[in-house]
Amino acid sequence: MPVPVDELTDDEPFPVTPDTSEYEALDFLVRHHEYGFSPREISDRTDINESSVAKTMRHLKEKDLVERSDGIYYVDPVRVETLTARLKSVDAVVRLFEATPDDDAYAEAGWEEQVPTIDSTGGSETSSFD
């Protein structure tokens, strides 16, 4: 029996967001994926304060983004490429939104008067948004 594509796709958003301790720790571990680090070492090498790094790492472990062995956190080597691509993708979206103007600087005056309305008789009239 065919399976709907919606059931096969993973449309869960990436579980960490930029400008968070989780994002910073994961980014650090991915960039240094050939090593494992203790919470204190992660704190020393990032901007994450020592009091919150344990909680941060626990959350990353719960989200299955990092591994832990004997108090050392690391990224599974099999997942490095995928995580690197996801982090780059999230970074690109952030840069895109930062570059987008907050106003309608590119809109031409009177543009709203040129938008046609849906007319039940099949004609198209222009409408003004008041």
Side-chain angles (χ1 to χ4, degrees), residues 60-74:
L60 290 173
K61 175 73 173 111
E62 290 169 357
K63 294 175 182 179
D64 293 324
L65 294 170
V66 299
E67 304 295 324
R68 181 176 181 237
S69 178
D70 297 325
I72 302 297
Y73 291 92
Y74 63 96

Side-chain angles (χ1 to χ4, degrees), residues 49-65:
N49 66 46
E50 195 172 342
S51 63
S52 65
V53 76
K55 179 180 175 183
T56 298
M57 299 314 298
R58 186 174 61 251
H59 286 162
L60 290 173
K61 175 73 173 111
E62 290 169 357
K63 294 175 182 179
D64 293 324
L65 294 170

Side-chain angles (χ1 to χ4, degrees), residues 104-114:
D104 257 348
Y106 298 107
E108 293 181 25
W111 69 269
E112 62 275 356
E113 294 171 11
Q114 302 300 317

